[in-house]
Amino acid sequence: MKTETAELFEVTPEIAGTQELPAQRTKPAEKKRPSRQSEDKRFKIFSGSANRKLTAEICEIIGLPLGETKVQRFADGEIYFQLLENVRGVDVFVVQPTCNPVDQHLVELLIMIDALKRASAGRITVVVPYYGYARQDRKDRPRVAISSKLVADLMTTAGANRALFMDLHAAQIQGFFNIPVDHMFASPVMVSYFRKLDLPNLTVVSPDAGGVERARFFATKMGAPLAIVDKRRTDINVTEVMNVIGDVQGKTCLIIDDIVDTAGTLVKTADALLANGAIQVYACASHAVLSGPAIKRIADSKLEELVVTNSIPLTEEAQKVAKIKVLSIAGLLAATIESIHMETSVSTLFS
């Protein structure tokens, strides 16, 4: 960190021509934070292999070079990671969504944290735009694991000092961590986009009861009424739409969700809304997981547009689908990272 230095001296009777007074002594210059984050050598950002493009965008906005690392694999698939610069005493941020392949990116993140801890990093903050295993946050059936708690323990044990997440599937996952957690939302980016579209007769729709709070917040920001789709999950990635609760007749509907995985629920919800009189249906989701038949389902669906963020990088196949629109959350994450480093309020970003 560059700091200004001042030559200190004591005012003597010979210099001043009077008796020495304590008040005449100059005070040490106060240390000031650098005007640009790029000048702060105590602040570094590193990226895993899951979404380097997003990390590069964050670094460009902040004005920091991306930390240099080496990531390789042994013949059997083991991950080899090495830091290529000094991090002793540094406030470090590691950006790594645990997206597909989930296990590979999760283990890579844990190894990165361990390397930083052993290199004496001052503080390690994991920035996980998409938190894999978040949907397994409770025992909804006998003899199942609470995997999101296990992943939280792994990150903490590896050496993370704090965590930053974007749109967790369930907000209570924050309670699984014994370290400070900042939970950000992509809604400011999404709201800004849909306000510009100025959709007529808009109704915001939650695709299930669990997402009502998320959809209600969005509806309040858009000044629109709220509708809910009653669905039943019959198996993993299999749902059945039961009823539409709310008036959607002659409305433009906007479905709000956090994850689009196989897109089965999304497409069925859109069909149910249109069957109940909606004139057109848009959708937005923070995390475009897009597994299996998702891309084809979206392309063949009656959706006008699906808006997602770049928390997860889209495949080449998904990028070719005209209905899928990607918004960047790099600016929001960059502002949050700077607030954490400067120890200022993060909640003001939503005011």
Side-chain angles (χ1 to χ4, degrees):
M1 178 186 295
K2 293 182 179 179
T3 56
E4 297 180 1
T5 57
E7 184 180 359
L8 305 181
F9 64 94
E10 197 171 87
V11 180
T12 63
E14 292 78 15
I15 295 175
T18 59
Q19 186 179 358
E20 179 184 31
L21 298 174
Q24 290 177 297
R25 298 175 184 173
T26 58
K27 296 180 179 180
E30 294 183 359
K31 292 183 178 180
K32 297 181 179 179
R33 290 191 182 274
S35 57
R36 283 181 55 82
Q37 295 297 338
S38 58
E39 299 173 5
D40 191 346
K41 304 305 181 185
R42 301 292 86 192
F43 176 26
K44 294 185 179 181
I45 299 176
F46 293 91
S47 176
S49 62
N51 198 345
R52 290 186 65 86
K53 184 177 179 181
L54 173 60
T55 313
E57 285 185 43
I58 293 170
C59 288
E60 183 177 356
I61 292 169
I62 295 176
L64 278 177
L66 181 59
E68 295 185 14
T69 61
K70 179 191 288 186
V71 181
Q72 294 178 322
R73 290 192 174 276
F74 291 98
D76 64 350
E78 284 185 18
I79 299 170
Y80 172 83
F81 175 81
Q82 181 185 11
L83 294 162
L84 299 181
E85 52 187 89
N86 179 34
V87 295
R88 185 177 297 274
V90 174
D91 190 12
V92 175
F93 293 80
V94 186
V95 183
Q96 174 85 327
T98 51
C99 51
N100 185 41
V102 180
D103 300 342
Q104 175 178 310
H105 288 145
L106 174 59
V107 172
E108 183 180 309
L109 174 60
L110 297 175
I111 291 174
M112 292 178 71
I113 297 170
D114 185 72
L116 288 163
K117 179 180 67 174
R118 296 179 188 279
S120 302
R123 182 176 66 175
I124 304 168
T125 302
V126 291
V127 181
V128 186
Y130 170 68
Y131 186 76
Y133 289 104
R135 286 170 285 185
Q136 300 179 52
D137 62 327
R138 63 195 183 282
K139 287 194 68 174
D140 55 352
R141 297 182 183 183
R143 299 174 296 280
V144 296
I146 304 179
S147 304
S148 54
K149 166 60 175 169
L150 172 62
V151 172
D153 289 342
L154 288 171
M155 290 183 185
T156 306
T157 302
N161 300 118
R162 69 182 302 135
L164 167 59
F165 300 115
M166 176 69 68
D167 272 315
L168 288 169
H169 184 65
Q172 61 265 26
I173 291 174
Q174 297 173 80
F176 293 164
F177 288 82
N178 293 322
I179 56 176
V181 172
D182 289 293
H183 184 203
M184 303 303 291
F185 302 90
S187 53
V189 178
M190 298 285 195
V191 167
S192 177
Y193 176 77
F194 281 104
R195 278 178 177 169
K196 291 177 182 177
L197 288 186
D198 193 22
L199 299 174
N201 297 320
L202 180 66
T203 293
V204 174
V205 180
S206 173
D208 53 39
V212 170
E213 184 178 350
R214 183 184 303 108
R216 183 182 291 115
F217 175 85
F218 207 100
T220 301
K221 291 294 183 181
M222 295 295 295
L226 176 68
I228 304 169
V229 173
D230 175 30
K231 74 175 185 181
R232 180 180 63 184
R233 185 170 296 279
T234 57
D235 202 350
I236 295 176
N237 291 325
V238 179
T239 57
E240 179 183 348
V241 174
M242 307 296 287
N243 299 292
V244 176
I245 304 170
D247 181 20
V248 297
Q249 181 72 37
K251 304 284 188 176
T252 298
C253 291
L254 173 57
I255 303 169
I256 307 295
D257 211 347
D258 62 324
I259 299 172
V260 177
D261 192 351
T262 62
T265 296
L266 181 63
V267 171
K268 288 179 181 178
T269 301
D271 290 342
L273 292 170
L274 291 168
N276 280 265
I279 57 174
Q280 57 182 347
V281 179
Y282 288 76
C284 70
S286 303
H287 311 299
V289 176
L290 303 182
S291 305
I295 296 172
K296 187 177 188 306
R297 283 175 174 172
I298 293 167
D300 297 341
S301 72
K302 297 177 183 178
L303 285 169
E304 298 292 327
E305 188 174 61
L306 169 63
V307 180
V308 298
T309 76
N310 58 345
S311 65
I312 298 173
L314 291 187
T315 62
E316 291 184 8
E317 183 184 1
Q319 292 175 23
K320 295 176 182 178
V321 178
K323 289 184 178 181
I324 301 177
K325 168 77 174 180
V326 181
L327 303 179
S328 178
I329 54 171
L332 184 58
L333 288 176
T336 309
I337 288 171
E338 284 190 299
S339 291
I340 293 172
H341 173 64
M342 301 291 287
E343 298 182 351
T344 59
S345 175
V346 171
S347 61
T348 55
L349 297 175
F350 292 101
S351 60

